Amino acid sequence: MAKAVAKQDQGQYLYERLKALEETYVATLNILEDFDEEKTKLDRAERALINILEDVEAQRSQSEHSKNLLELVNKELEAFSYSVSHDLRAPLRAIFGFAQAIEEDYGARLDEEGKRYLNLVKDNAEKMGQLIDDLLTFSRIGRRQMQKTQFDINNLAKKVYEELVSEEGDRDIEFKATIMPLAYGDESLVRQVLVNLLSNAIKFSRPMKKAVIEFGYSPKSEAYYVKDNGVGFDMRYVSKLFGVFQRLHSAEEFEGTGVGLALVNRIVTRHGGQAWAKGELDKGATFFFTLPKTEEEWKVK
Amino acid sequence: MESEIELILIEDNPSDVELLMRSVSKHHLVNNITVLKDGAEALDFFFGKDHFSPNKPYLILLDLKLPKVDGMEVLRRLKSEEHTKEVPVIVLTASQEDRDLKDAYKYGVNSYVTKPIDFKDFDRIVSQLEAYWIIVNKHPHEKRG
């Protein structure tokens, strides 16, 4: 009897061991299954990651490619303007030089009309020289590395105005400059902006008995501005103002090559700013431009 | 003024050569002008078989953009060779590029002048150059006394 019990116990024991083993087996299977599933997920994630990395790499090489292309185009542009500066000037110098030689050696044999024609040849050669110079400045400024600092734009404008007005003889001009925030950027480039805007203000207010020119700051639009009471312009043509070689006045009325405002726009845009204008015929014009005021603002833009 | 200066003009543009000679001849300060039409001709003149020797005052007017060998290379050679480095070299160029200006001084140019378009200015600059380099300036190969 005792033996039978013992046997039954053993059977029970074995059965339980077996069951436990089976459970372990099932659990292991489950774990393995889970593991498999996890592995699939992991594989999928890995593949996704590889895809992303491949995309990033593709984008990187794309942007590397664009950068190289840009550098190449810049180099070509540099070579082009170099050759413009050298090769376009040479024939002009010859035209001017030999016209001068005719005047010196044969001037006595020319009548008034002949002399007038000769002067027209020289005037036009000189004008073309000015055009070439302006175009070169335009291309140089677009390429130049910027030296950034914070500076007193009010003071700069006053200095520029004094220099410009000293060449104007005894005109009656009132110049106002209000207090305004410091600007941040390339001071010598911004100086060029002020030279162009202020010399325009001086030029286009020439017909006025008393010219009033103002360098100010509009807190509303956060823009610096140059305002004059000169001949102004028709707002219908405002879109043409900032284009290269675009002019709203004939050379007889007002001299100029039509590069000044294009240059202003280019410099301001390179600073992350904007330039725009308001005007009315015979009632003056105002030219606005924005610039960063601190290094932080520069970085944001 | 008893100056014995010899002008060496390295310039490829015949109109510029003629205009320059015209300006120079007005002042009677130069007694001989040698014209070299490109960079290779210039190198041959200074460093070729007929050895150039600066036994009298020379003044070199050098254009930068030259066929075959460019003016900057000619300048570099002139200023690095023992027998030519004392000869004053004036770069006379249409180039207003900062790079050219810097490079020219780096190689040791004695003066850098840009060619204006207006011939009156050109004429004036040539007179000033002559006045300075021939009358005012002391030349290392000048006969003293």
Side-chain angles (χ1 to χ4, degrees):
Chain A
M1 181 73 197
K3 236 181 200 176
V5 170
K7 232 179 200 164
Q8 200 184 3
D9 278 357
Q10 207 176 14
Q12 181 72 24
Y13 171 74
L14 271 177
Y15 171 76
E16 269 164 21
R17 278 297 303 270
L18 210 66
K19 209 173 150 198
L21 214 67
E22 198 184 318
E23 270 165 17
T24 313
Y25 176 70
V26 171
T28 311
L29 267 186
N30 278 344
I31 289 172
L32 277 177
E33 233 165 65
D34 283 357
F35 186 73
D36 226 35
E37 218 167 277
E38 286 304 317
K39 198 174 160 301
T40 315
K41 274 193 212 158
L42 212 66
D43 274 354
R44 226 178 285 142
E46 194 187 319
R47 223 173 301 130
L49 198 66
I50 287 174
N51 280 343
I52 290 172
L53 283 176
E54 268 170 8
D55 283 359
V56 168
E57 177 56 28
Q59 264 169 23
R60 204 191 58 80
S61 81
Q62 178 73 34
S63 81
E64 185 81 358
H65 180 71
S66 313
K67 203 177 134 227
N68 288 342
L69 206 66
L70 197 69
E71 262 166 31
L72 191 77
V73 170
N74 251 333
K75 278 222 177 78
E76 268 174 19
L77 201 67
E78 206 170 312
F80 173 74
S81 66
Y82 183 83
S83 130
V84 165
S85 101
H86 201 282
D87 298 344
L88 280 191
R89 271 205 196 126
L92 265 183
R93 213 166 32 247
I95 292 169
F96 205 100
F98 289 110
Q100 182 79 27
I102 291 176
E103 194 178 288
E104 283 171 12
D105 297 356
Y106 305 98
R109 283 189 247 168
L110 286 174
D111 63 8
E112 283 313 303
E113 195 65 352
K115 280 180 192 155
R116 196 176 70 84
Y117 287 165
L118 206 53
N119 276 328
L120 283 173
V121 171
K122 289 200 302 187
D123 287 351
N124 279 286
E126 210 160 11
K127 177 143 193 244
M128 186 162 168
Q130 191 59 50
L131 281 169
I132 294 172
D133 282 351
D134 285 357
L135 208 58
L136 278 176
T137 312
F138 187 66
S139 113
R140 217 184 343 247
I141 276 173
R143 288 182 277 127
R144 216 182 90 124
Q145 274 270 316
M146 295 211 264
Q147 315 276 334
K148 289 159 292 202
T149 52
Q150 197 177 38
F151 60 92
D152 184 348
I153 191 169
N154 197 19
N155 204 20
L156 184 64
K158 279 182 196 159
K159 270 194 256 169
V160 167
Y161 174 79
E162 290 306 328
E163 276 167 38
L164 292 172
V165 87
S166 66
E167 292 163 17
E168 280 299 302
D170 55 355
R171 278 182 57 192
D172 185 8
I173 308 178
E174 185 189 341
F175 179 67
K176 296 188 270 194
T178 50
I179 290 168
M180 60 191 71
L182 300 177
Y184 182 83
D186 187 311
E187 188 169 348
S188 69
L189 287 183
V190 174
R191 187 178 189 284
Q192 187 70 50
V193 168
L194 293 170
V195 166
N196 291 4
L197 292 181
L198 288 169
S199 64
N200 273 356
I202 292 171
K203 176 164 73 179
F204 292 108
S205 61
R206 211 177 281 149
M208 305 298 134
K209 218 173 135 213
K210 181 186 175 165
V212 181
I213 296 166
E214 183 186 341
F215 181 55
Y217 180 75
S218 153
K220 206 176 112 212
S221 50
E222 298 190 334
Y224 304 98
Y225 64 84
V226 173
K227 187 178 176 181
D228 67 67
N229 66 337
V231 296
F233 62 89
D234 189 331
M235 277 304 269
R236 272 184 299 172
Y237 307 123
V238 70
S239 62
K240 283 192 155 190
L241 272 179
F242 292 98
V244 186
F245 290 140
Q246 297 283 359
R247 302 209 65 215
L248 298 185
H249 301 274
S250 70
E252 276 86 39
E253 281 181 291
F254 294 102
E255 71 287 359
T257 55
V259 177
L261 287 178
L263 205 57
V264 165
N265 194 36
R266 185 149 192 179
I267 294 171
V268 170
T269 311
R270 278 198 77 189
H271 280 80
Q274 275 180 305
W276 69 96
K278 272 185 202 159
E280 200 179 327
L281 263 184
D282 299 322
K283 290 194 177 154
T286 311
F287 288 85
F288 297 89
F289 61 97
T290 59
L291 289 174
K293 298 184 185 69
T294 58
E295 198 177 345
E296 287 68 42
E297 261 186 59
W298 171 278
K299 280 178 188 151
V300 173
K301 286 179 185 181
Chain B
M1 179 72 210
E2 195 108 1
S3 67
E4 286 273 307
I5 206 136
E6 296 230 5
L7 193 64
I8 300 169
L9 181 57
I10 310 172
E11 169 68 70
D12 65 314
N13 183 328
S15 291
D16 274 357
V17 171
E18 197 176 333
L19 289 172
L20 243 147
M21 304 258 260
R22 188 184 150 84
S23 286
V24 169
S25 65
K26 279 183 192 166
H27 308 108
H28 314 287
L29 288 174
V30 172
N31 65 357
N32 191 24
I33 303 179
T34 307
V35 180
L36 307 167
K37 289 190 298 294
D38 62 57
E41 209 180 307
L43 290 184
D44 195 50
F45 178 84
F46 292 109
F47 309 110
K49 273 194 285 309
D50 306 320
H51 223 64
F52 169 81
S53 77
N55 50 4
K56 52 192 165 186
Y58 282 97
L59 183 64
I60 300 172
L61 284 183
L62 173 67
D63 187 16
L64 284 185
K65 202 179 175 203
L66 294 170
K68 295 179 192 164
V69 178
D70 78 18
M72 202 61 85
E73 175 60 18
V74 173
L75 173 67
R76 197 187 63 77
R77 285 289 304 278
L78 283 171
K79 290 300 180 186
S80 58
E81 303 279 338
E82 209 51 48
H83 73 290
T84 51
K85 71 180 183 193
E86 286 179 352
V87 182
V89 179
I90 301 168
V91 160
L92 188 58
T93 174
S95 168
Q96 299 185 0
E97 294 284 314
D98 294 346
R99 192 189 56 203
D100 283 339
L101 185 66
K102 279 188 188 141
D103 284 352
Y105 275 102
K106 189 175 78 192
Y107 293 134
V109 79
N110 301 83
S111 185
Y112 188 104
V113 178
T114 52
K115 295 175 185 171
I117 284 173
D118 190 327
F119 187 68
K120 261 181 275 167
D121 293 339
F122 193 67
D123 212 22
R124 182 175 48 77
I125 284 174
V126 173
S127 311
Q128 285 172 349
L129 281 177
E130 281 185 285
Y132 179 76
W133 285 101
I134 299 172
I135 301 171
V136 180
N137 185 55
K138 277 294 190 189
H139 198 284
H141 303 285
E142 211 167 308
K143 286 192 191 91
R144 306 276 148 82

